[in-house]
Amino acid sequence: MISVIRIDDRLLHGQVALLWTQTYSIHTVVIVNDKVVNDEFLKMTLGLAKPIGVELKIISVADGIAYMREQMETTRRVMVIINNLLDAKRIFDELDLPSLNFGNLRERADSARYAPAISLTSEDIEICKYLLDKGVELEIRRTPDESKTLIKKLLNK
Amino acid sequence: MLQSILVGLISVIGLCDYLTGTSMIQRPVVLGALVGLVYGDLPTGVIMGSSIELIFMGQMSIGGAVPVVTLAGCVAVAIAMQSGAGLEAALALAVPFGVLYSMLDNLHYILVQVFVSGMDKAAKEGDYKKYERYHWCAFGLWSLLYFVSTVICVNLGSTLVENFFNSLPAWLMDGISAGTKLLPALGFAILLNSIWNKKIAAFFFIGFVLAAYLGLDTIAIAILGASVAVLYFTLGSTELPDFSAPADSKPMLTKKEINNMFWRAFTLEASYNYEKFQGTGFGYALIPALRKIYGDDKEALAEAMSRNCVMFQTTPQCAPINMGITLAMEEEYSRNRDTMDPASIGAVRSAFMGPLAGIGDSIFWGILRTVAAGVACSLGVQGNVAAPLVFLIIFNVPAVFTRYYGAHKSYELGMNFVSKLSQYNLLENLSIAAGIVGLMVIGGMTSSMVWVSTPLVITAGDMAISVQEFLDSLLPSMVPLLTVYIMSKLLKKNIKPVVLMISALVVGVLLTYIGVL
């Protein structure tokens, strides 16, 4: 089953390795990203952060969708990490998942900050609205013990 | 008034945590002692500080997600000492003041943006003097905010508390006191949840038995744990990568510049903000080395400063490693400007910072700080005034070593440093070894630092059986162990730590009232 799907431009780091994998008793962390999968250096650095006893997979978006479809039927607890909203759209178009967690999205050109660690561009906002229309819950939580901040509420302001 | 001003200064000393590379001087076990000095009662300050430390032990600052700020500890101790309301009041106050101070922090993060955009502009212009000035201004602003708020809080707070706590009935105070004794269990549960790992889980129970049955104190268990961790390396077939510098290297930077970076890296979080996180401080640390690399080429220096004043976030103690690699790459770029893409510098830094934090947060925040605090608090709650020093030494010796060695070796090896780290599963083995010490110490503290006992006596005819004695005969420290277990389960159900803290106080009051605690 897919326990968490998280968008985080730092991919695998302290918040994920230390808190999320433990709180949700994650068996496998899957980094789904077309760039990382072809970058040996990135793969090596991400491998360094692998929490003990947790399996780490790094796969492309297309493979990620197939893998997730497969895992949705099992009892293994999988955490999926992506780093941009375009990939989120591709995934949520294919799979019926209830919720997307927003961890960290840094400031970029023409982005605006919506929460301490979340900045969104106008393109991001379009995708957020699209996902919200599909009925996906978009929630901001850097660490699992924080309260959910709903993107829906932020956009309605 | 004078005393509250001194406490205000102490809160600024606590804030200097961010000037000294998260040296943990803002933890209650340190600040409590300083407040004790102000009120002329050092041992009481140490006892209160250590007790609050135990409660806040699970509060970690991971990846820019700042929890209830621990600095509140010093205010709570000050109010308790000024109003004469005692330890229970300090413990109960630490929670609301923690919330108050995290709001204060949020205010600071809004105001600090002025300096952050100034630094951004200065970097683009290559004006390093202005950049450095803003870095310090940002910290100045933070200090001022804390100083003023602390003075106000201590003055208002102690008047309120004097009237409030002294009018509370004794049964309620006893209840709160019992409740606060449950709180360390929450901290241990948070820590356990973050470092628990089936492979080495047995060490938690070994630590527990050493304390519960053999009565060993935390120091003894920490030493045993460290010995086991060392054995894990020496008896296992763990090979260590060769970190010596390549013989043919002709570095542009000398020890002097790298040392300068090492010192400046301590101020990494002085201008911390929610736009670039540690990025502004990262740029600050690199300035002398960049000036040497780019010499008189003002334009190149400005570009390099801009390149290194971008979003950055990792475990502060590991940041010098990232800085060294960045400098090695900047140097390479200055030599091959036509062939190398400068964007690769940022790409490597940004690829490495997350994973480094994954491992660094777990070792420094999760384990090293826990062991240091565990040992120090076991001394501190008995009023041993060496507690704050013991705490700072145990934490900072490995931390400073990592910083120094990390800065120099990562510069010498550049990107190869990363591949060396990935050799022979070095980091994974290091986390396992550290995890062993951490779990043993938390196991021990579960027995020795969660003081829950029941005065219940069951009478059957002429026989009177003390429930506590009965439980102890089954399994000593059974109640603390269960409490930690329940807390850990509740946390996994996603119940917030603040909610659990308040519930623990309420449960304490209720159970005391009906005579179970």
Side-chain angles (χ1 to χ4, degrees), chain A residues 10 12-13 15 18 22 24-25 42 45 49 52 107 113 116 142 144-145, chain B residues 62-64 193-194 196-197 274-275 313 351 354-355 362 492 494 496:
Chain A
R10 278 186 266 157
L12 184 52
H13 56 105
Q15 292 166 4
L18 205 61
Q22 294 283 2
Y24 287 90
S25 309
L42 276 172
T45 59
I52 312 160
E107 297 205 340
R113 201 182 315 157
R142 285 174 293 177
D145 61 327
Chain B
I62 303 289
N193 280 359
S194 76
W196 189 258
N197 162 15
Y274 276 143
E275 180 186 340
Q313 176 74 43
S362 140
K492 289 221 165 196
N494 245 323
K496 310 271 169 287

PDB file of all heavy atoms in Angstrom, chain A residues 10 12-13 15 18 22 24-25 42 45 49 52 107 113 116 142 144-145, chain B residues 62-64 193-194 196-197 274-275 313 351 354-355 362 492 494 496:
ATOM      1  N   ARG A  10      14.071  18.354  -1.608  1.00  0.00           N
ATOM      2  CA  ARG A  10      15.304  17.815  -1.045  1.00  0.00           C
ATOM      3  C   ARG A  10      15.278  16.277  -1.053  1.00  0.00           C
ATOM      4  O   ARG A  10      16.169  15.640  -0.511  1.00  0.00           O
ATOM      5  CB  ARG A  10      15.500  18.320   0.377  1.00  0.00           C
ATOM      6  CG  ARG A  10      16.115  19.716   0.412  1.00  0.00           C
ATOM      7  CD  ARG A  10      16.427  20.091   1.830  1.00  0.00           C
ATOM      8  NE  ARG A  10      15.349  20.851   2.439  1.00  0.00           N
ATOM      9  CZ  ARG A  10      15.161  20.930   3.763  1.00  0.00           C
ATOM     10  NH1 ARG A  10      15.953  20.285   4.595  1.00  0.00           N
ATOM     11  NH2 ARG A  10      14.173  21.649   4.245  1.00  0.00           N
ATOM     12  N   LEU A  12      15.355  12.894  -0.147  1.00  0.00           N
ATOM     13  CA  LEU A  12      15.536  12.097   1.076  1.00  0.00           C
ATOM     14  C   LEU A  12      16.461  12.860   2.016  1.00  0.00           C
ATOM     15  O   LEU A  12      17.617  13.088   1.690  1.00  0.00           O
ATOM     16  CB  LEU A  12      16.157  10.749   0.682  1.00  0.00           C
ATOM     17  CG  LEU A  12      16.365   9.709   1.766  1.00  0.00           C
ATOM     18  CD1 LEU A  12      15.101   9.466   2.544  1.00  0.00           C
ATOM     19  CD2 LEU A  12      16.856   8.414   1.166  1.00  0.00           C
ATOM     20  N   HIS A  13      15.975  13.284   3.167  1.00  0.00           N
ATOM     21  CA  HIS A  13      16.828  13.988   4.135  1.00  0.00           C
ATOM     22  C   HIS A  13      16.320  13.705   5.538  1.00  0.00           C
ATOM     23  O   HIS A  13      15.540  12.780   5.737  1.00  0.00           O
ATOM     24  CB  HIS A  13      16.876  15.481   3.820  1.00  0.00           C
ATOM     25  CG  HIS A  13      15.520  16.131   3.771  1.00  0.00           C
ATOM     26  ND1 HIS A  13      15.060  16.928   4.765  1.00  0.00           N
ATOM     27  CD2 HIS A  13      14.540  16.064   2.845  1.00  0.00           C
ATOM     28  CE1 HIS A  13      13.828  17.336   4.454  1.00  0.00           C
ATOM     29  NE2 HIS A  13      13.498  16.823   3.296  1.00  0.00           N
ATOM     30  N   GLN A  15      14.178  14.929   7.778  1.00  0.00           N
ATOM     31  CA  GLN A  15      12.752  14.800   8.109  1.00  0.00           C
ATOM     32  C   GLN A  15      12.189  13.476   7.609  1.00  0.00           C
ATOM     33  O   GLN A  15      11.400  12.826   8.290  1.00  0.00           O
ATOM     34  CB  GLN A  15      11.964  15.955   7.476  1.00  0.00           C
ATOM     35  CG  GLN A  15      12.270  17.304   8.093  1.00  0.00           C
ATOM     36  CD  GLN A  15      11.754  18.460   7.253  1.00  0.00           C
ATOM     37  OE1 GLN A  15      11.102  18.252   6.235  1.00  0.00           O
ATOM     38  NE2 GLN A  15      12.048  19.676   7.667  1.00  0.00           N
ATOM     39  N   LEU A  18      14.392  10.278   9.233  1.00  0.00           N
ATOM     40  CA  LEU A  18      14.316  10.112  10.677  1.00  0.00           C
ATOM     41  C   LEU A  18      12.878   9.999  11.155  1.00  0.00           C
ATOM     42  O   LEU A  18      12.568   9.222  12.045  1.00  0.00           O
ATOM     43  CB  LEU A  18      14.978  11.340  11.309  1.00  0.00           C
ATOM     44  CG  LEU A  18      15.564  11.199  12.696  1.00  0.00           C
ATOM     45  CD1 LEU A  18      16.650  10.167  12.680  1.00  0.00           C
ATOM     46  CD2 LEU A  18      16.143  12.538  13.145  1.00  0.00           C
ATOM     47  N   GLN A  22       9.808   6.347  10.177  1.00  0.00           N
ATOM     48  CA  GLN A  22       9.554   5.703  11.469  1.00  0.00           C
ATOM     49  C   GLN A  22       8.081   5.795  11.844  1.00  0.00           C
ATOM     50  O   GLN A  22       7.475   4.817  12.250  1.00  0.00           O
ATOM     51  CB  GLN A  22      10.411   6.348  12.560  1.00  0.00           C
ATOM     52  CG  GLN A  22      11.893   6.122  12.376  1.00  0.00           C
ATOM     53  CD  GLN A  22      12.332   4.731  12.793  1.00  0.00           C
ATOM     54  OE1 GLN A  22      11.518   3.906  13.188  1.00  0.00           O
ATOM     55  NE2 GLN A  22      13.618   4.458  12.689  1.00  0.00           N
ATOM     56  N   TYR A  24       5.455   6.105  10.077  1.00  0.00           N
ATOM     57  CA  TYR A  24       4.555   5.291   9.260  1.00  0.00           C
ATOM     58  C   TYR A  24       5.075   3.870   9.054  1.00  0.00           C
ATOM     59  O   TYR A  24       4.572   3.155   8.202  1.00  0.00           O
ATOM     60  CB  TYR A  24       4.293   5.990   7.918  1.00  0.00           C
ATOM     61  CG  TYR A  24       3.379   7.179   8.059  1.00  0.00           C
ATOM     62  CD1 TYR A  24       3.884   8.444   8.315  1.00  0.00           C
ATOM     63  CD2 TYR A  24       1.999   7.031   7.991  1.00  0.00           C
ATOM     64  CE1 TYR A  24       3.038   9.538   8.475  1.00  0.00           C
ATOM     65  CE2 TYR A  24       1.148   8.117   8.148  1.00  0.00           C
ATOM     66  CZ  TYR A  24       1.670   9.359   8.386  1.00  0.00           C
ATOM     67  OH  TYR A  24       0.832  10.432   8.555  1.00  0.00           O
ATOM     68  N   SER A  25       6.089   3.491   9.842  1.00  0.00           N
ATOM     69  CA  SER A  25       6.699   2.144   9.744  1.00  0.00           C
ATOM     70  C   SER A  25       6.905   1.733   8.282  1.00  0.00           C
ATOM     71  O   SER A  25       6.433   0.685   7.848  1.00  0.00           O
ATOM     72  CB  SER A  25       5.842   1.099  10.443  1.00  0.00           C
ATOM     73  OG  SER A  25       5.526   1.517  11.733  1.00  0.00           O
ATOM     74  N   LEU A  42      23.876  11.510  -7.991  1.00  0.00           N
ATOM     75  CA  LEU A  42      22.692  11.703  -7.156  1.00  0.00           C
ATOM     76  C   LEU A  42      22.275  10.406  -6.479  1.00  0.00           C
ATOM     77  O   LEU A  42      21.915  10.377  -5.307  1.00  0.00           O
ATOM     78  CB  LEU A  42      21.529  12.226  -8.010  1.00  0.00           C
ATOM     79  CG  LEU A  42      21.482  13.724  -8.250  1.00  0.00           C
ATOM     80  CD1 LEU A  42      20.404  14.060  -9.261  1.00  0.00           C
ATOM     81  CD2 LEU A  42      21.197  14.441  -6.941  1.00  0.00           C
ATOM     82  N   THR A  45      24.596   9.732  -3.569  1.00  0.00           N
ATOM     83  CA  THR A  45      24.366  10.542  -2.371  1.00  0.00           C
ATOM     84  C   THR A  45      23.064  10.132  -1.681  1.00  0.00           C
ATOM     85  O   THR A  45      23.008  10.054  -0.463  1.00  0.00           O
ATOM     86  CB  THR A  45      24.299  12.045  -2.696  1.00  0.00           C
ATOM     87  OG1 THR A  45      23.251  12.267  -3.635  1.00  0.00           O
ATOM     88  CG2 THR A  45      25.590  12.558  -3.271  1.00  0.00           C
ATOM     89  N   ALA A  49      21.844   8.250   2.584  1.00  0.00           N
ATOM     90  CA  ALA A  49      20.873   8.656   3.596  1.00  0.00           C
ATOM     91  C   ALA A  49      19.868   7.564   3.927  1.00  0.00           C
ATOM     92  O   ALA A  49      18.967   7.761   4.718  1.00  0.00           O
ATOM     93  CB  ALA A  49      20.115   9.885   3.117  1.00  0.00           C
ATOM     94  N   ILE A  52      18.503   2.715   8.221  1.00  0.00           N
ATOM     95  CA  ILE A  52      18.773   1.285   8.395  1.00  0.00           C
ATOM     96  C   ILE A  52      17.460   0.516   8.364  1.00  0.00           C
ATOM     97  O   ILE A  52      16.473   0.937   8.966  1.00  0.00           O
ATOM     98  CB  ILE A  52      19.449   1.017   9.752  1.00  0.00           C
ATOM     99  CG1 ILE A  52      20.596   1.994   9.963  1.00  0.00           C
ATOM    100  CG2 ILE A  52      19.954  -0.413   9.845  1.00  0.00           C
ATOM    101  CD1 ILE A  52      20.985   2.120  11.412  1.00  0.00           C
ATOM    102  N   GLU A 107      11.991  28.383  -2.982  1.00  0.00           N
ATOM    103  CA  GLU A 107      11.626  29.493  -3.856  1.00  0.00           C
ATOM    104  C   GLU A 107      12.302  29.348  -5.209  1.00  0.00           C
ATOM    105  O   GLU A 107      13.449  28.923  -5.299  1.00  0.00           O
ATOM    106  CB  GLU A 107      12.055  30.813  -3.213  1.00  0.00           C
ATOM    107  CG  GLU A 107      11.344  31.077  -1.916  1.00  0.00           C
ATOM    108  CD  GLU A 107      11.262  32.548  -1.580  1.00  0.00           C
ATOM    109  OE1 GLU A 107      12.053  33.314  -2.135  1.00  0.00           O
ATOM    110  OE2 GLU A 107      10.398  32.895  -0.756  1.00  0.00           O
ATOM    111  N   ARG A 113       5.584  32.429  -1.676  1.00  0.00           N
ATOM    112  CA  ARG A 113       5.621  31.523  -0.540  1.00  0.00           C
ATOM    113  C   ARG A 113       4.238  31.394   0.092  1.00  0.00           C
ATOM    114  O   ARG A 113       3.602  32.398   0.416  1.00  0.00           O
ATOM    115  CB  ARG A 113       6.615  32.003   0.502  1.00  0.00           C
ATOM    116  CG  ARG A 113       7.035  30.855   1.401  1.00  0.00           C
ATOM    117  CD  ARG A 113       7.983  31.265   2.496  1.00  0.00           C
ATOM    118  NE  ARG A 113       9.038  32.136   2.034  1.00  0.00           N
ATOM    119  CZ  ARG A 113       9.701  32.962   2.850  1.00  0.00           C
ATOM    120  NH1 ARG A 113       9.413  32.996   4.130  1.00  0.00           N
ATOM    121  NH2 ARG A 113      10.643  33.734   2.372  1.00  0.00           N
ATOM    122  N   PRO A 116       5.967  28.294   5.421  1.00  0.00           N
ATOM    123  CA  PRO A 116       7.404  28.488   5.637  1.00  0.00           C
ATOM    124  C   PRO A 116       8.277  27.741   4.616  1.00  0.00           C
ATOM    125  O   PRO A 116       9.217  28.310   4.107  1.00  0.00           O
ATOM    126  CB  PRO A 116       7.605  27.959   7.049  1.00  0.00           C
ATOM    127  CG  PRO A 116       6.325  28.258   7.728  1.00  0.00           C
ATOM    128  CD  PRO A 116       5.247  28.114   6.681  1.00  0.00           C
ATOM    129  N   ARG A 142       5.779  19.310   7.156  1.00  0.00           N
ATOM    130  CA  ARG A 142       7.184  18.946   6.980  1.00  0.00           C
ATOM    131  C   ARG A 142       7.495  17.685   7.771  1.00  0.00           C
ATOM    132  O   ARG A 142       8.111  16.770   7.285  1.00  0.00           O
ATOM    133  CB  ARG A 142       8.092  20.102   7.430  1.00  0.00           C
ATOM    134  CG  ARG A 142       8.106  21.228   6.417  1.00  0.00           C
ATOM    135  CD  ARG A 142       8.871  22.391   6.934  1.00  0.00           C
ATOM    136  NE  ARG A 142       8.165  22.995   8.065  1.00  0.00           N
ATOM    137  CZ  ARG A 142       8.630  24.009   8.766  1.00  0.00           C
ATOM    138  NH1 ARG A 142       9.800  24.522   8.477  1.00  0.00           N
ATOM    139  NH2 ARG A 142       7.940  24.511   9.759  1.00  0.00           N
ATOM    140  N   PRO A 144       5.827  14.591  10.433  1.00  0.00           N
ATOM    141  CA  PRO A 144       4.515  13.973  10.625  1.00  0.00           C
ATOM    142  C   PRO A 144       3.782  14.464  11.864  1.00  0.00           C
ATOM    143  O   PRO A 144       2.569  14.305  11.951  1.00  0.00           O
ATOM    144  CB  PRO A 144       4.839  12.472  10.729  1.00  0.00           C
ATOM    145  CG  PRO A 144       6.307  12.353  10.836  1.00  0.00           C
ATOM    146  CD  PRO A 144       6.914  13.623  10.374  1.00  0.00           C
ATOM    147  N   ASP A 145       4.485  15.058  12.820  1.00  0.00           N
ATOM    148  CA  ASP A 145       3.782  15.509  14.027  1.00  0.00           C
ATOM    149  C   ASP A 145       3.191  16.903  13.872  1.00  0.00           C
ATOM    150  O   ASP A 145       2.481  17.372  14.747  1.00  0.00           O
ATOM    151  CB  ASP A 145       4.709  15.445  15.249  1.00  0.00           C
ATOM    152  CG  ASP A 145       5.925  16.332  15.085  1.00  0.00           C
ATOM    153  OD1 ASP A 145       6.387  16.487  13.951  1.00  0.00           O
ATOM    154  OD2 ASP A 145       6.401  16.874  16.096  1.00  0.00           O
TER     155      ASP A 145
ATOM    156  N   ILE B  62      14.527  19.466  13.241  1.00  0.00           N
ATOM    157  CA  ILE B  62      14.962  18.665  12.100  1.00  0.00           C
ATOM    158  C   ILE B  62      14.654  19.389  10.800  1.00  0.00           C
ATOM    159  O   ILE B  62      13.509  19.688  10.502  1.00  0.00           O
ATOM    160  CB  ILE B  62      14.240  17.291  12.078  1.00  0.00           C
ATOM    161  CG1 ILE B  62      14.466  16.531  13.375  1.00  0.00           C
ATOM    162  CG2 ILE B  62      14.694  16.460  10.880  1.00  0.00           C
ATOM    163  CD1 ILE B  62      15.844  16.019  13.574  1.00  0.00           C
ATOM    164  N   GLY B  63      15.696  19.667  10.061  1.00  0.00           N
ATOM    165  CA  GLY B  63      15.518  20.209   8.714  1.00  0.00           C
ATOM    166  C   GLY B  63      14.674  21.465   8.644  1.00  0.00           C
ATOM    167  O   GLY B  63      13.834  21.600   7.779  1.00  0.00           O
ATOM    168  N   GLY B  64      14.892  22.384   9.570  1.00  0.00           N
ATOM    169  CA  GLY B  64      14.210  23.658   9.482  1.00  0.00           C
ATOM    170  C   GLY B  64      12.815  23.645  10.072  1.00  0.00           C
ATOM    171  O   GLY B  64      12.149  24.662  10.102  1.00  0.00           O
ATOM    172  N   ASN B 193      10.931   6.420  18.788  1.00  0.00           N
ATOM    173  CA  ASN B 193      10.289   6.309  17.484  1.00  0.00           C
ATOM    174  C   ASN B 193      11.222   6.750  16.371  1.00  0.00           C
ATOM    175  O   ASN B 193      11.125   6.265  15.249  1.00  0.00           O
ATOM    176  CB  ASN B 193       9.010   7.153  17.442  1.00  0.00           C
ATOM    177  CG  ASN B 193       7.858   6.439  18.123  1.00  0.00           C
ATOM    178  OD1 ASN B 193       8.027   5.322  18.606  1.00  0.00           O
ATOM    179  ND2 ASN B 193       6.712   7.075  18.167  1.00  0.00           N
ATOM    180  N   SER B 194      12.125   7.704  16.677  1.00  0.00           N
ATOM    181  CA  SER B 194      12.977   8.178  15.596  1.00  0.00           C
ATOM    182  C   SER B 194      14.201   7.296  15.381  1.00  0.00           C
ATOM    183  O   SER B 194      14.756   7.295  14.294  1.00  0.00           O
ATOM    184  CB  SER B 194      13.361   9.635  15.817  1.00  0.00           C
ATOM    185  OG  SER B 194      14.348   9.732  16.797  1.00  0.00           O
ATOM    186  N   TRP B 196      14.358   3.870  16.486  1.00  0.00           N
ATOM    187  CA  TRP B 196      14.019   2.451  16.610  1.00  0.00           C
ATOM    188  C   TRP B 196      14.369   1.709  15.327  1.00  0.00           C
ATOM    189  O   TRP B 196      14.168   2.215  14.230  1.00  0.00           O
ATOM    190  CB  TRP B 196      12.529   2.301  16.888  1.00  0.00           C
ATOM    191  CG  TRP B 196      12.136   0.903  17.228  1.00  0.00           C
ATOM    192  CD1 TRP B 196      11.534   0.010  16.399  1.00  0.00           C
ATOM    193  CD2 TRP B 196      12.304   0.260  18.482  1.00  0.00           C
ATOM    194  NE1 TRP B 196      11.313  -1.156  17.066  1.00  0.00           N
ATOM    195  CE2 TRP B 196      11.776  -1.054  18.334  1.00  0.00           C
ATOM    196  CE3 TRP B 196      12.859   0.631  19.716  1.00  0.00           C
ATOM    197  CZ2 TRP B 196      11.787  -1.981  19.393  1.00  0.00           C
ATOM    198  CZ3 TRP B 196      12.855  -0.283  20.747  1.00  0.00           C
ATOM    199  CH2 TRP B 196      12.329  -1.564  20.579  1.00  0.00           C
ATOM    200  N   ASN B 197      14.879   0.525  15.482  1.00  0.00           N
ATOM    201  CA  ASN B 197      15.297  -0.246  14.326  1.00  0.00           C
ATOM    202  C   ASN B 197      15.390  -1.698  14.780  1.00  0.00           C
ATOM    203  O   ASN B 197      16.096  -2.019  15.729  1.00  0.00           O
ATOM    204  CB  ASN B 197      16.643   0.328  13.860  1.00  0.00           C
ATOM    205  CG  ASN B 197      17.391  -0.613  12.964  1.00  0.00           C
ATOM    206  OD1 ASN B 197      16.863  -1.576  12.432  1.00  0.00           O
ATOM    207  ND2 ASN B 197      18.656  -0.329  12.808  1.00  0.00           N
ATOM    208  N   TYR B 274      13.445  31.659   6.340  1.00  0.00           N
ATOM    209  CA  TYR B 274      12.649  30.663   5.631  1.00  0.00           C
ATOM    210  C   TYR B 274      12.680  30.835   4.117  1.00  0.00           C
ATOM    211  O   TYR B 274      11.901  30.214   3.415  1.00  0.00           O
ATOM    212  CB  TYR B 274      11.207  30.676   6.140  1.00  0.00           C
ATOM    213  CG  TYR B 274      11.028  29.835   7.383  1.00  0.00           C
ATOM    214  CD1 TYR B 274      10.171  30.212   8.402  1.00  0.00           C
ATOM    215  CD2 TYR B 274      11.750  28.651   7.534  1.00  0.00           C
ATOM    216  CE1 TYR B 274      10.013  29.439   9.544  1.00  0.00           C
ATOM    217  CE2 TYR B 274      11.611  27.888   8.672  1.00  0.00           C
ATOM    218  CZ  TYR B 274      10.740  28.280   9.671  1.00  0.00           C
ATOM    219  OH  TYR B 274      10.603  27.514  10.786  1.00  0.00           O
ATOM    220  N   GLU B 275      13.584  31.689   3.606  1.00  0.00           N
ATOM    221  CA  GLU B 275      13.725  31.775   2.160  1.00  0.00           C
ATOM    222  C   GLU B 275      14.909  30.919   1.712  1.00  0.00           C
ATOM    223  O   GLU B 275      14.784  30.056   0.856  1.00  0.00           O
ATOM    224  CB  GLU B 275      13.926  33.224   1.726  1.00  0.00           C
ATOM    225  CG  GLU B 275      14.082  33.347   0.221  1.00  0.00           C
ATOM    226  CD  GLU B 275      14.437  34.770  -0.201  1.00  0.00           C
ATOM    227  OE1 GLU B 275      14.201  35.707   0.569  1.00  0.00           O
ATOM    228  OE2 GLU B 275      14.976  34.912  -1.309  1.00  0.00           O
ATOM    229  N   GLN B 313      20.251  23.620   3.442  1.00  0.00           N
ATOM    230  CA  GLN B 313      19.765  23.103   4.721  1.00  0.00           C
ATOM    231  C   GLN B 313      20.360  21.725   4.962  1.00  0.00           C
ATOM    232  O   GLN B 313      20.157  20.813   4.184  1.00  0.00           O
ATOM    233  CB  GLN B 313      18.236  22.987   4.703  1.00  0.00           C
ATOM    234  CG  GLN B 313      17.627  22.367   5.954  1.00  0.00           C
ATOM    235  CD  GLN B 313      17.657  23.322   7.140  1.00  0.00           C
ATOM    236  OE1 GLN B 313      17.365  24.497   7.020  1.00  0.00           O
ATOM    237  NE2 GLN B 313      18.030  22.813   8.303  1.00  0.00           N
ATOM    238  N   ALA B 351      22.504  18.147  -4.076  1.00  0.00           N
ATOM    239  CA  ALA B 351      22.265  16.700  -4.051  1.00  0.00           C
ATOM    240  C   ALA B 351      22.754  16.086  -2.753  1.00  0.00           C
ATOM    241  O   ALA B 351      22.190  15.118  -2.258  1.00  0.00           O
ATOM    242  CB  ALA B 351      22.984  16.037  -5.224  1.00  0.00           C
ATOM    243  N   GLY B 354      20.766  16.948   1.429  1.00  0.00           N
ATOM    244  CA  GLY B 354      19.667  16.189   2.008  1.00  0.00           C
ATOM    245  C   GLY B 354      20.136  14.891   2.656  1.00  0.00           C
ATOM    246  O   GLY B 354      19.909  14.655   3.843  1.00  0.00           O
ATOM    247  N   PRO B 355      20.831  14.051   1.858  1.00  0.00           N
ATOM    248  CA  PRO B 355      21.326  12.807   2.421  1.00  0.00           C
ATOM    249  C   PRO B 355      22.231  13.010   3.636  1.00  0.00           C
ATOM    250  O   PRO B 355      22.150  12.264   4.610  1.00  0.00           O
ATOM    251  CB  PRO B 355      22.112  12.197   1.264  1.00  0.00           C
ATOM    252  CG  PRO B 355      21.459  12.736   0.040  1.00  0.00           C
ATOM    253  CD  PRO B 355      21.027  14.117   0.405  1.00  0.00           C
ATOM    254  N   SER B 362      20.157  12.206  12.500  1.00  0.00           N
ATOM    255  CA  SER B 362      19.951  11.025  13.323  1.00  0.00           C
ATOM    256  C   SER B 362      21.104  10.856  14.315  1.00  0.00           C
ATOM    257  O   SER B 362      20.884  10.560  15.485  1.00  0.00           O
ATOM    258  CB  SER B 362      19.765   9.814  12.407  1.00  0.00           C
ATOM    259  OG  SER B 362      20.420   8.702  12.908  1.00  0.00           O
ATOM    260  N   LYS B 492       2.469   7.221  17.211  1.00  0.00           N
ATOM    261  CA  LYS B 492       2.341   6.589  15.893  1.00  0.00           C
ATOM    262  C   LYS B 492       0.934   6.741  15.345  1.00  0.00           C
ATOM    263  O   LYS B 492       0.711   6.649  14.146  1.00  0.00           O
ATOM    264  CB  LYS B 492       2.705   5.107  15.976  1.00  0.00           C
ATOM    265  CG  LYS B 492       4.193   4.896  16.192  1.00  0.00           C
ATOM    266  CD  LYS B 492       4.728   3.757  15.362  1.00  0.00           C
ATOM    267  CE  LYS B 492       6.229   3.822  15.334  1.00  0.00           C
ATOM    268  NZ  LYS B 492       6.811   3.019  14.290  1.00  0.00           N
ATOM    269  N   ASN B 494      -0.421   9.369  15.369  1.00  0.00           N
ATOM    270  CA  ASN B 494      -0.396  10.756  14.920  1.00  0.00           C
ATOM    271  C   ASN B 494      -1.043  11.723  15.886  1.00  0.00           C
ATOM    272  O   ASN B 494      -1.610  12.730  15.483  1.00  0.00           O
ATOM    273  CB  ASN B 494      -1.049  10.885  13.545  1.00  0.00           C
ATOM    274  CG  ASN B 494      -0.015  11.317  12.539  1.00  0.00           C
ATOM    275  OD1 ASN B 494       0.857  12.120  12.871  1.00  0.00           O
ATOM    276  ND2 ASN B 494      -0.083  10.767  11.360  1.00  0.00           N
ATOM    277  N   LYS B 496      -0.498  14.618  18.483  1.00  0.00           N
ATOM    278  CA  LYS B 496       0.569  15.609  18.587  1.00  0.00           C
ATOM    279  C   LYS B 496       1.234  15.570  19.960  1.00  0.00           C
ATOM    280  O   LYS B 496       0.554  15.404  20.975  1.00  0.00           O
ATOM    281  CB  LYS B 496       0.007  17.013  18.355  1.00  0.00           C
ATOM    282  CG  LYS B 496      -0.830  17.140  17.123  1.00  0.00           C
ATOM    283  CD  LYS B 496       0.012  17.502  15.915  1.00  0.00           C
ATOM    284  CE  LYS B 496      -0.760  17.363  14.635  1.00  0.00           C
ATOM    285  NZ  LYS B 496      -0.989  15.968  14.241  1.00  0.00           N
TER     286      LYS B 496
END
